Amino acid sequence: MAKGTFGVTTPIYYINAAPHLGTAYTTVAADTITRYQRMNGYDVSFVTGTDEHGQKIAETAEKNAMTPQAWCDSLAPAFTDAWKTLDIDYTNFVRTTEDRQTRAVQKFWSALHDAGWLYKSAYEGWYCVHEETYYAESDLEKNDEGEFVCPDCKRPVRYEASGEENWFFKLSEFQDRLLAFYDEHPDFIRPVTRRNEIVSFVKGGLNDLSISRSSFDWGIPVPWDEGHVFYVWADALIAYLTGIGYGDGEREAEFDGRWPIQYHFVGKDITRFHCVIWPAMLMAAGMPITHTVFGHGFLLTKGEKMSKSKGNGLMPADLVKVFGVDAYRYYFMSDVQFGHDGSISMERMVQVYNADLANTWGNLVSRVTNMTTKYFEGRVPEAPAAAAENPLREIADTLYAAYDACMAEVDFTGAAAAVQKLASRVNLYVEESAPWALAKDPARADELAGVLYNCLEAIRIIALYLAPFMPNTSAEVFRRLGLGDIAEVTDIQEATAWGQLPVSVAVEVGDPLFPRLDVDNLPEL
Ligand code: MSP
């Protein structure tokens, strides 16, 4: 029986460029927490996808002499392939050009239309095609030529005063309800710095939101007004619902069981859409609201935000080639504190790889399995008497509480550090107990068996806790220890209780899990 449901989403990424390290970062984080909560007994959902509508896509498709749909179809595999490379185990991938998304978007907004939350009016304003967003003049910046530029992407904006009529959502009416909601749900916006930004933004007053366009047609049609399509954000946010069955007659019960979810993981630049517009939309629809929007920081290289357009974007697959997928995932999750900006560099990646993975975890597995081969013909020796002093068990017994508390705070760095603490302690324990010396004294054979049993058992437990970060390595360690399929674990607390490693099972040594890296031949980040 599952403990309940646990749901997380990543942004629905613009399909215009293949995923870079920044978008991969959110996606790996969502995957890590989902893998953990699945092992922790929850029935999980993990929705990601691609945001495929809007003027920008239509314009790029035209430049490439393709229909927008054909253009999107040609780009979508870049996402599914990248996620495969990174072992992302999402439960639902939504492309906003799918029929189920059209049904969901039309259902959602028709209900708001019927309930009187929408009205039609002429729109004038500063528009950035790249960000697909209108800006108030007071939010704009100026470039060196004195032109108004977008505060987000710094590209020139244009004043749109076509007299075009758009549909508007009465967002301005939600100011008080949103402020009350933030007050009553202190965990809705995290980390707290983002929360403060949003609260002061909403206190400053809200404008109604234009949710349709009629100047181009690459979008989901507004069902009650021919010639209008939904604005990209009014479309993309709904994908979070579509992914778990909203608007799909056959999946209604599933949707009701899964919504609301625990987390939207988003970058800090798009928290406003998720913390202001999105909850107001859900309030208007009379639907419950996601428990937490977590706005993580940016990955920086040489002090600057990484982005493809700035040309400082190495692709995930480039790094996977050097480090392997597990080490890639481990580096980003352990070394870039979720919620803060984080500088990444090749040097640091190599440092973390060599320290935590090659020298600690990989080395531990090698030396202990080697000693098992040498001293016990490759079979798990007898466990020590229960009363024997066991410093490893002391740490292992408190690890679930420590690790789970970190995961509950989406503190991946803390969770990884808690596991590393046990791994380092096992290495120290090996030094202290010196099995090679015990092996020389036949009278101490039981002691030797006890030491190696403890080490192997600790390795089993570490593999379980590292599985959400490094699924392949943990599966391999389980295989080497002659254990079952780690992917089937659904109660990590019970599975990590001390003393479950079966005795006499054959243990395999295998190749080093993380061969030390040669720092000389690394690509530039
Ligand atoms: N399509 C919208 C989201 C709609 S969600 C209903 C969108 N797409 S995006 O492709 O631009 O997604 C960008 C995501 O990547 C954002 O969460 C953004 O913060 C993140 N990142 C882009 N560059 C980044 C870094 N350098 N570092 C970390 N994340 C960054 O916005």
Side-chain angles (χ1 to χ4, degrees), residues 103-321:
R103 280 195 301 272
V105 169
Q106 292 184 337
K107 173 179 168 167
F108 185 93
W109 287 109
S110 295
L112 264 58
H113 181 236
D114 293 347
W117 288 114
L118 308 181
Y119 64 93
K120 203 172 179 181
S121 169
Y123 195 88
E124 288 187 17
W126 293 97
Y127 188 66
C128 172
V129 177
H130 186 260
E131 298 294 329
E132 310 259 15
T133 305
Y134 282 98
Y135 293 92
E137 194 161 313
S138 54
D139 288 336
L140 298 176
E141 293 171 13
K142 281 195 174 162
N143 64 12
D144 295 342
E145 285 85 54
E147 282 173 306
F148 278 128
V149 294
C150 169
D152 291 316
C153 72
K154 318 291 178 206
R155 291 177 173 81
V157 286
R158 61 191 187 210
Y159 195 76
E160 296 210 336
S162 56
E164 172 192 337
E165 292 213 300
N166 288 347
W167 283 92
F168 281 80
F169 169 49
K170 296 178 183 169
L171 182 62
S172 59
E173 293 189 17
F174 286 86
Q175 182 182 19
D176 292 343
R177 283 178 70 180
L178 284 169
L179 290 171
F181 179 78
Y182 302 149
D183 236 23
E184 286 156 19
H185 299 86
D187 278 344
F188 177 60
I189 309 170
R190 293 187 49 212
V192 76
T193 41
R194 311 264 185 273
R195 181 185 153 79
N196 299 340
E197 282 161 27
I198 296 288
V199 170
S200 64
F201 172 76
V202 173
K203 280 190 175 153
L206 295 172
N207 294 322
D208 289 344
L209 175 77
S210 152
I211 59 144
S212 77
R213 299 285 184 272
S214 57
S215 53
F216 60 90
D217 63 1
W218 184 237
I220 294 179
V222 173
W224 63 88
D225 194 358
E226 206 179 317
H228 284 253
V229 295
F230 286 103
Y231 163 53
V232 276
W233 279 95
D235 169 351
L237 286 161
I238 305 294
Y240 297 147
L241 308 177
T242 311
I244 52 172
Y246 176 85
D248 180 342
E250 281 169 20
R251 293 176 70 200
E252 236 163 71
E254 181 192 343
F255 177 75
D256 291 341
R258 292 198 181 280
W259 187 264
I261 57 166
Q262 271 65 31
Y263 287 109
H264 295 305
F265 283 178
V266 297
K268 61 181 180 179
D269 52 335
I270 58 172
T271 41
R272 209 183 270 184
F273 291 96
H274 287 82
C275 295
V276 182
I277 298 172
W278 181 227
M281 283 165 59
L282 291 166
M283 283 173 184
M287 288 168 70
I289 294 167
T290 309
H291 193 265
T292 297
V293 174
F294 199 101
H296 65 72
F298 288 147
L299 300 182
L300 312 172
T301 42
K302 302 183 179 98
E304 264 204 80
K305 178 186 172 203
M306 314 204 53
S307 72
K308 189 103 199 299
S309 52
K310 285 198 197 115
N312 58 354
L314 210 68
M315 296 312 231
D318 302 328
L319 293 178
V320 168
K321 263 186 232 137

Side-chain angles (χ1 to χ4, degrees), residues 15-90:
I15 201 167
N16 51 359
H20 54 70
L21 302 183
T23 42
Y25 177 60
T26 328
T27 314
V28 170
D31 189 64
T32 304
I33 199 145
T34 320
R35 283 177 184 271
Y36 171 61
Q37 296 300 0
R38 190 185 283 127
M39 292 178 82
N40 198 23
Y42 287 89
D43 174 10
V44 300
S45 65
F46 167 8
V47 175
T48 187
T50 43
D51 191 349
E52 307 190 359
H53 287 127
Q55 195 170 2
K56 195 167 37 171
I57 288 287
E59 285 175 3
T60 327
E62 204 181 323
K63 268 188 225 143
N64 286 278
M66 279 165 104
T67 64
Q69 186 65 62
W71 176 242
C72 293
D73 291 347
S74 74
L75 293 170
F79 284 82
T80 43
D81 290 352
W83 303 153
K84 213 165 164 191
T85 305
L86 293 175
D87 273 316
I88 304 297
D89 193 11
Y90 50 74

